[in-house]
Amino acid sequence: MRDIRKLPASAGAQWLLDTFSLYRRAPLQLAVLGIIGMLVSSLMFALSQALPSWIGTAVQMVWLATGPVVFGGMLWAVSEIDQGHRALPTHLLQPIRDRRVFHLLLPLLIYFTAIVLLGSLLLAMIGKEGLASIAQATLDLQALQLADTPASSEQMQAVFDPVPVKRILLWMALTFGVFVALSMAMFTQPALVMFDRQSGMHALRMSLQGCIENFTAMAVFMLLGLIASVCINVLFFIVANIATLFAGPGIGMAVMNLGMITVTMPLYVGAVYAAWKQMFAHRTRGTPPPVPPANGPKNIFAA
């Protein structure tokens, strides 16, 4: 039996239908979890700004870690709703209880490593002279835009002549490919970590392989998800503008953020859960995780 199921393209649409169905079953419970996650993250960020030097930096690291941990906890809550149970605030701590924290944080580490490597690759491809030419071209373009007369084609060509355009386009293509691969590797990785108890790296490989083998379903999901996201954001934008008119820009921004954290995030979590259920041949969610021995290690980062 293969670990990855081959799905039709219509499965991508089914993931969206499933996540909306799950959300309708417990919108207030999921909204409460989203608000708690937002409050914890905001508190961590405020502390990191208020505390001095290295203490603030350490708190910032914890602040960065809250996102993946909250995501894993919300996945667990969505699975409870799927089984007919209530989503509780304590579910946000499930990654810590199951010692899944390090495995959930691994994609974040790889993401930042990819940014550093891609930045280094750009510097190696175009050099300091290329970076200087980009900065100068930006200034020249701003000057042309501020001029009274429209820029001619000769002027535009003179601006871009010193810039290594071909090498920059090649780097942009490589960067796009890297981040598409990372996005697919990170798509179902949290669910594989939380429910199938896979290690972080193995879950990344499985998620990438699953998304590649079901690329048509992923394409349908991304297209329909983009349309749904635009519609939801337009609705939030209208509501936020109405709130701004009556209560000021601060309240309008708060309404916008509240809508994102209580609707958009739970819907995406539900889509990841639905994709995991269909894409992988896993053991049942009802199987409890193994209990560590009483005299065993207490490290929450252990696999």
Side-chain angles (χ1 to χ4, degrees):
M1 181 177 179
R2 297 181 71 246
D3 290 332
I4 299 173
R5 299 187 180 106
K6 181 66 177 177
L7 304 174
S10 59
Q14 188 62 47
W15 301 342
L16 282 177
L17 294 176
D18 289 347
T19 188
F20 278 106
S21 176
L22 281 170
Y23 185 81
R24 284 198 300 268
R25 289 164 61 178
L28 292 180
Q29 296 171 31
L30 291 173
V32 168
L33 295 187
I35 291 172
I36 292 174
M38 181 184 68
L39 291 176
V40 171
S41 179
S42 300
L43 178 61
M44 290 287 186
F45 183 75
L47 283 175
S48 69
Q49 300 300 308
L51 294 173
S53 61
W54 65 270
I55 302 178
T57 302
V59 175
Q60 279 186 346
M61 297 298 102
V62 177
W63 170 66
L64 288 174
T66 57
V69 174
V70 168
F71 193 94
M74 289 197 70
L75 269 172
W76 195 269
V78 166
S79 74
E80 292 288 342
I81 293 172
D82 187 37
Q83 296 181 91
H85 305 149
R86 289 183 57 83
L88 304 174
T90 54
H91 290 149
L92 294 177
L93 300 176
Q94 195 67 37
I96 299 176
R97 285 195 291 264
D98 285 351
R99 303 185 297 177
R100 301 282 86 195
V101 173
F102 172 77
H103 305 289
L104 290 173
L105 296 181
L106 187 61
L108 191 64
L109 178 61
I110 293 176
Y111 186 84
F112 286 126
T113 302
I115 292 176
V116 172
L117 291 177
L118 287 170
S120 302
L121 178 62
L122 177 63
L123 182 60
M125 290 176 66
I126 67 176
K128 294 181 179 179
E129 297 80 6
L131 293 176
S133 66
I134 294 173
Q136 185 59 47
T138 303
L139 295 175
D140 293 341
L141 281 175
Q142 291 176 348
L144 290 176
Q145 290 174 352
L146 295 175
D148 296 332
T149 57
S152 64
S153 58
E154 291 79 9
Q155 288 175 313
M156 295 297 293
Q157 184 176 355
V159 168
F160 286 104
D161 273 344
V163 179
V165 177
K166 292 182 179 179
R167 280 175 285 172
I168 292 175
L169 290 176
L170 175 60
W171 178 83
M172 291 176 65
L174 290 172
T175 301
F176 177 77
V178 168
F179 281 105
V180 167
L182 284 176
S183 298
M184 291 192 295
M186 295 177 182
F187 181 53
T188 56
Q189 191 265 1
L192 289 165
V193 165
M194 289 298 301
F195 303 130
D196 293 342
R197 297 190 64 81
Q198 294 184 6
S199 68
M201 188 59 71
H202 186 259
L204 284 169
R205 291 196 300 267
M206 288 289 291
S207 179
L208 177 60
Q209 184 180 350
C211 290
I212 290 175
E213 293 193 19
N214 293 285
F215 187 78
T216 54
M218 282 295 300
V220 171
F221 169 73
M222 293 302 295
L223 177 61
L224 296 181
L226 178 62
I227 295 172
S229 177
V230 169
C231 294
I232 293 172
N233 286 337
V234 168
L235 178 61
F236 289 157
F237 182 76
I238 293 173
V239 174
N241 278 339
I242 295 174
T244 299
L245 289 175
F246 288 96
I251 299 299
M253 183 60 68
V255 169
M256 191 74 178
N257 292 334
L258 192 62
M260 295 292 290
I261 204 70
T262 59
V263 179
T264 305
M265 182 180 175
L267 286 175
Y268 180 72
V269 172
V272 171
Y273 175 75
W276 165 79
K277 282 185 66 177
Q278 288 194 11
M279 197 181 297
F280 297 97
H282 43 71
R283 57 176 173 263
T284 60
R285 157 67 178 84
T287 303
V291 179
N295 56 352
K298 302 299 183 182
N299 181 12
I300 65 170
F301 299 113

